[in-house]
Amino acid sequence: EMFVTLGKHMEADLDLIVPMLIKKSAETNGFIADEANRALMAMAASVSEGRVICALAACASHRNPQARAKAAIHLSRALESMGWRRVLQMKELDKVVQAFGALNSEGLSETRSATRHGLVSLIRESRGQCADVQERLERLLRRQLSEKDRRKLMDAVDASTAGTFPAALEDTSESPMTRRSSLRPSCASRHGTSAGTHRSHG
């Protein structure tokens, strides 16, 4: 209720509040976890987008693997609500890719699934954008991911269907490569995507 009532006035305390909520959301007590998850969703809807990203991305290094899983899930959901196209234009994109890069090799499948959903959605959306946007994302991906992991994500993008949440991206190396989209459309042609280009609707 505090996030709904106070909104952006809560931003100064996010660095303290969000890690605590992430930890509580990973507890085995269902009531406590549910309340923490609701508070995190209210936070994501009530404060500025940049602060949401920074607060959740910082939890990618939490000591508790269950808490890191919740951080990945809430970050991916928050970004999807913002819209993947918008996220690609934000200055916080580097924090997003850095957090997802750290979470991509986690042991828990729910962490990897949420992380790879976020990365696949960003890559897929970038394919309809101009070269500058694609190049920025590609630089960040190369910095945070191994070539093997990056190739698996590209294959998953090619195999995915627009608008769907990949149920399991853990075995992306087995995904059939259906098509490799052109990686460098010009800015002038960003609105003229082909019928075969997969797009996320955010």
Side-chain angles (χ1 to χ4, degrees):
E1 292 183 4
M2 291 181 66
F3 282 115
V4 175
T5 303
L6 298 177
K8 293 184 178 181
H9 294 292
M10 295 288 291
E11 290 185 357
D13 299 315
L14 288 185
D15 292 341
L16 296 175
I17 296 173
V18 172
M20 180 180 65
L21 289 174
I22 286 290
K23 181 180 179 180
K24 294 293 184 183
S25 72
E27 289 199 5
T28 55
N29 184 306
F31 175 77
I32 293 176
D34 288 346
E35 289 299 310
N37 282 316
R38 275 195 284 270
L40 286 165
M41 288 187 284
M43 179 276 297
S46 303
V47 303
S48 64
E49 295 174 336
R51 292 294 288 127
V52 171
I53 291 174
C54 291
L56 290 173
C59 294
S61 59
H62 199 286
R63 292 181 301 173
N64 185 337
Q66 294 286 349
R68 294 196 296 272
K70 296 300 182 181
I73 291 169
H74 280 284
L75 179 58
S76 186
R77 285 176 178 171
L79 297 176
E80 192 155 39
S81 295
M82 295 173 195
W84 300 111
R85 179 181 297 185
R86 176 168 175 75
V87 174
L88 286 168
Q89 305 288 342
M90 296 175 70
K91 65 180 182 180
E92 291 84 6
L93 179 63
D94 60 335
K95 294 184 182 296
V96 171
V97 178
Q98 183 178 8
F100 280 155
L103 294 166
N104 189 55
S105 58
E106 281 285 310
L108 294 178
S109 61
E110 61 179 330
T111 311
R112 297 195 305 272
S113 182
T115 297
R116 294 177 188 180
H117 170 58
L119 289 170
V120 164
S121 297
L122 286 170
I123 296 168
R124 186 170 57 208
E125 182 64 35
S126 75
R127 289 184 173 183
Q129 306 303 306
C130 68
D132 288 347
V133 172
Q134 293 189 44
E135 287 169 1
R136 181 191 178 199
L137 179 61
E138 188 170 325
R139 281 197 307 272
L140 292 171
L141 291 172
R142 288 185 181 278
R143 190 181 305 163
Q144 300 298 333
L145 298 172
S146 68
E147 181 63 25
K148 179 181 178 182
D149 286 342
R150 201 174 63 83
R151 191 178 303 116
K152 286 181 179 180
L153 287 170
M154 296 300 179
D155 290 349
V157 172
D158 289 332
S160 66
T161 302
T164 62
F165 192 120
L169 287 174
E170 280 68 55
D171 195 16
T172 49
S173 61
E174 297 300 318
S175 300
M177 183 178 292
T178 57
R179 176 185 51 80
R180 181 70 68 182
S181 298
S182 172
L183 294 179
R184 292 289 181 271
S186 66
C187 290
S189 64
R190 62 190 299 177
H191 300 298
T193 55
S194 66
T197 302
H198 296 309
R199 300 292 298 277
S200 170
H201 299 293

